[in-house]
Every structure is written in C-alpha cells, then in structure tokens.
C-alpha cells in the first residue's frame, strides 16, 4: 500500500510503498477513504507536537473509511461498515489498524470527507466549551482564529449552546465564513485595538484560543471577572506568559485543553461526546465546512494550505477515490 511518511524529523514527508498492516488482538483494519489534516501534522514534521511518534511515521490524525477486517477478539461491526477514527497518526495511508474501541460508525447521510473533518474539530470545541469551560446560555464567547479548523466549530457549537459569539479572524472572506457559522460579532484580527473593540461589546466570559501570542494578550485584558480562557493551541508560534497576579485580581481561570489527551485517561468522555455530536449532525444542527478536498497525490499541497493559512474549516485528503 501507499503511505505518506515522515522519514526523519525535519525531513520532508514523501510517499512510500509498504506492507498492508495486519490487525493485532482487539484491533480493526480500516480501508481509508479520507483523512482530515490538522495543524498538528505540521508540528509533527518538526518534532514539535506533544505526541510526535518516533520516525519514520505516517502523517494523518483522523480518518474515515470502511471496515476491512478485524483482529482476534473483535466481533463487529461487519466489514464494509462506514466508520471514523481518531488514531493520532497513520491516516495518510490506504489502510490503517486501530483499537476497535475507538472505531465509530458514522451517520448514513455523512460523506467520507465530512467524517474525516469531524472528530478533532468538533470534539475539541464540544468538550472544551461544555466540559471544561462550562459555557452558559447568555454568556459572551470570544473565538480567536474563528475560521480555522477548530475555531469555526467553536463558533457553531457556542451558538448552539446559547452564547453570544464574537469571531476574530484575518480577512473579510474568513470573517464571512464565521458569520455563516453563527457569529454575532465579527472583528478583524489585525485591528489596532482588539481589547478596546471587545470592551465596547461588553467584555468576554469565555475565550477560545487556538492562536496564542498577541491575540491572547488582548483577549485576556478584555475578560470579565470570573472569565474562563481555554488554551487550545498556539498557531501563532508564540506561547504567551500569563500574569498570575491579574488572574488573582480578576478571578480569571486559564484552562488547558488537549482533546487527544483525554483518550489516555478518560476515553469515555471523548466517545460519548462524539456520539452526541453525530446525533447533532443527523438532526441538522451541525454543518461541517471543508474548504479543500484534494486527491492523495496532493497531500503536500494540503499541508501547504495549512501552513500558509489559506484554508477555512478543514482540509481533507481523499486517499481512495469515492464513487459519485
């Protein structure tokens, strides 16, 4: 089979021919249809992600496909069932083997591209806003990087949870995508005085931040007393320092959130969350946004779209061409 692998840290990934993996006890082998790309794929190539596997490794954290076969000790679902999996790596390959407990059937109406774009982005926002920040109806939610893979789902889910949503993104096109996802207020990321704009809107109860850097600092200064700041990631490359004395004075909480980490110590909350999100999709409450669907041969182009921040929502690679 073909796979898109990182041979060594800081060496560009390339296509290789390798053996089709055999499922171990408790595993399911999936024929991969689509793979969603994530900013973490870029960090892994440089060894900068917290869960970077040892090289060589295959990129691609989340996939959708069909069950091919099971290893010993796994009874179902049957071969051909459409499923989605968050595996953490290995998705940019024609087949992958995964712990059967994290292989989830997907709704009939959901396309493979949508399913490959769904788990990390929606799962992150759902658990971060609900489980960690305990966002309440009527509160004001600020989403930084609001047109990105996770940011756009935070806008959508925040609105479903009854919040007033302020979206911050770079450029009119990205802000329009956030507006269509439900944002009530739109602010250009390059505005001269972001703190002033946020204070004029009454301040912020919850901050959803996958960006870091100067945007974090401005958002921090616009927080109301008892606000909660979710640190989701640092796409800016700048990990901000938090003035602990200001936390004390304003009674602010800064909450770290790493969705994949919960699979190691509370996997049930991840799978329960995803089942609820799939139900919301079936009810028409969620509309995954895939800005680019590229063939397997253009995996490098997909990575470059993320690196250059030219995508909105998700970039998905079609590993196996799908019938119309």
């Amino acid at each position: 089979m073909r796979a898109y692998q990182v041979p060594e840290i800081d060496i560009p990934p390339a296509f290789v021919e390798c053996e089709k993996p055999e499922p171990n006890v408790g595993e399911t082998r999936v024929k991969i249809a689509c793979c969603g790309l994530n900013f973490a794929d870029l960090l892994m190539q440089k060894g900068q992600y917290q869960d970077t596997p040892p090289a060589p490794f295959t990129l691609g954290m989340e996939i959708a496909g069909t069950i091919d076969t099971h290893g010993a000790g796994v009874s179902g679902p049957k071969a051909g069932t459409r499923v989605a999996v968050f595996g953490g790596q290995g998705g940019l390959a024609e087949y992958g083997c995964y712990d059967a407990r994290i292989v989830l059937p997907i709704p009939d109406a959901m396309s493979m591209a949508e399913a490959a774009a769904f788990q990390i982005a929606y799962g992150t926002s759902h658990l971060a806003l609900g489980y960690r920040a305990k966002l309440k109806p009527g509160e004001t939610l600020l989403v930084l990087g609001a047109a990105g893979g996770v940011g756009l789902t935070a806008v959508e889910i925040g609105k479903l949870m009854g919040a007033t949503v302020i979206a911050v993104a770079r450029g009119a096109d990205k802000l329009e995508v956030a507006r269509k996802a439900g944002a009530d207020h739109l602010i250009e990321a390059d505005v001269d005085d972001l703190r002033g704009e946020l204070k004029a809107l009454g301040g912020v109860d919850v901050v959803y931040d996958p960006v870091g850097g100067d945007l974090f600092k401005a958002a921090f200064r616009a927080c109301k007393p008892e606000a909660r700041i979710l640190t989701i990631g640092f796409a800016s490359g700048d990990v901000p320092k938090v003035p602990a004395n200001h936390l004390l004075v304003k009674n602010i909480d800064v909450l770290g959130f790493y969705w994949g980490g919960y699979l190691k110590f509370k996997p049930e909350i991840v799978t329960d969350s995803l089942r609820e999100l799939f139900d919301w999709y079936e009810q028409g409450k969620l509309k995954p946004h895939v800005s680019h669907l590229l063939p397997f041969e253009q995996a490098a182009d997909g990575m470059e779209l993320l690196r250059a921040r030219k995508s909105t929502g998700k970039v998905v690679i079609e590993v196996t061409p799908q019938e119309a």
Side-chain angles (χ1 to χ4, degrees):
M1 71 171 190
R2 285 191 306 163
Y4 192 62
Q5 289 192 347
V6 174
E8 295 181 34
I9 297 301
D10 263 344
I11 300 296
F15 285 100
V16 300
E17 292 287 336
C18 53
E19 292 294 321
K20 183 190 299 185
E22 293 297 326
N24 294 317
V25 174
E27 290 186 337
T28 292
R29 186 168 68 201
V30 178
K31 182 178 181 181
I32 296 171
C34 290
C35 177
L37 300 188
N38 293 274
F39 192 77
D41 289 307
L42 300 179
L43 297 178
M44 281 188 191
Q45 295 175 43
K46 294 182 175 294
Q48 296 173 348
Y49 188 61
Q50 57 264 27
D51 277 342
T52 300
F57 61 88
T58 299
L59 291 166
M61 301 178 73
E62 58 183 332
I63 62 99
T66 54
I67 290 177
D68 184 51
T69 190
H70 296 295
V74 181
S75 58
K78 66 180 181 180
T81 300
R82 302 166 72 249
V83 294
V85 189
F86 168 77
Q89 61 168 302
L92 286 172
E94 292 174 322
Y95 290 86
C97 292
Y98 303 97
D99 185 329
R101 293 172 296 180
I102 61 171
V103 177
L104 299 176
I106 60 177
D108 292 339
M110 181 177 276
S111 71
M112 289 293 192
E114 288 178 322
F118 195 83
Q119 292 183 95
I120 293 175
Y122 280 103
T124 294
S125 294
H126 187 235
L127 284 183
L129 294 174
Y131 182 77
R132 287 291 276 157
K134 296 178 174 56
L135 179 67
K136 303 178 186 68
E139 289 192 313
T140 297
L141 167 66
L142 168 64
V143 181
L144 305 176
V150 293
L152 194 61
T153 63
V155 171
E156 195 174 2
I157 289 175
K159 194 63 182 174
L160 280 174
M161 294 176 70
T164 297
V165 180
I166 304 171
V168 173
R170 184 165 281 106
D173 291 346
K174 290 186 176 182
L175 287 171
E176 177 60 16
V177 171
R179 185 193 66 78
K180 289 180 178 178
D184 299 284
H185 304 284
L186 308 173
I187 301 177
E188 168 62 52
D190 292 333
V191 69
D192 289 336
D193 183 12
L194 177 57
R195 173 183 178 270
E197 298 270 353
L198 296 171
K199 295 288 280 186
L201 292 171
V204 179
D205 295 297
V206 174
V207 178
Y208 184 99
D209 179 20
V211 180
D214 289 339
L215 293 181
F216 173 96
K217 297 171 188 175
F220 184 94
R221 296 174 64 212
C223 281
K224 299 177 184 179
E226 295 192 326
R228 289 87 73 203
I229 302 175
L230 290 157
T231 58
I232 306 297
F234 310 101
S236 68
D238 180 358
V239 179
K241 294 181 180 179
V242 180
N245 58 322
H246 292 188
L247 297 180
L248 181 152
V249 171
K250 296 181 73 173
N251 291 293
I252 293 174
D253 295 331
V254 178
L255 306 170
F257 184 81
Y258 169 41
W259 182 76
Y262 279 97
L263 288 170
K264 298 176 182 177
F265 66 94
K266 279 189 177 179
E268 68 281 358
I269 73 163
V270 174
T271 52
D272 288 348
S273 166
L274 287 172
R275 289 190 180 97
E276 182 172 10
L277 288 166
F278 284 136
D279 285 343
W280 285 5
Y281 175 90
E282 288 191 289
Q283 295 168 32
K285 294 179 179 179
L286 302 176
K287 297 179 181 179
H289 179 82
V290 177
S291 66
H292 296 82
L293 177 62
L294 303 176
F296 200 10
E297 292 74 15
Q298 291 180 239
D301 296 332
M303 296 290 181
E304 184 56 32
L305 286 168
L306 294 185
R307 186 178 290 107
R309 295 188 174 91
K310 292 183 178 179
S311 61
T312 56
K314 295 285 285 191
V315 175
V316 174
I317 302 300
E318 189 176 49
V319 176
T320 304
Q322 303 299 293
E323 297 179 4

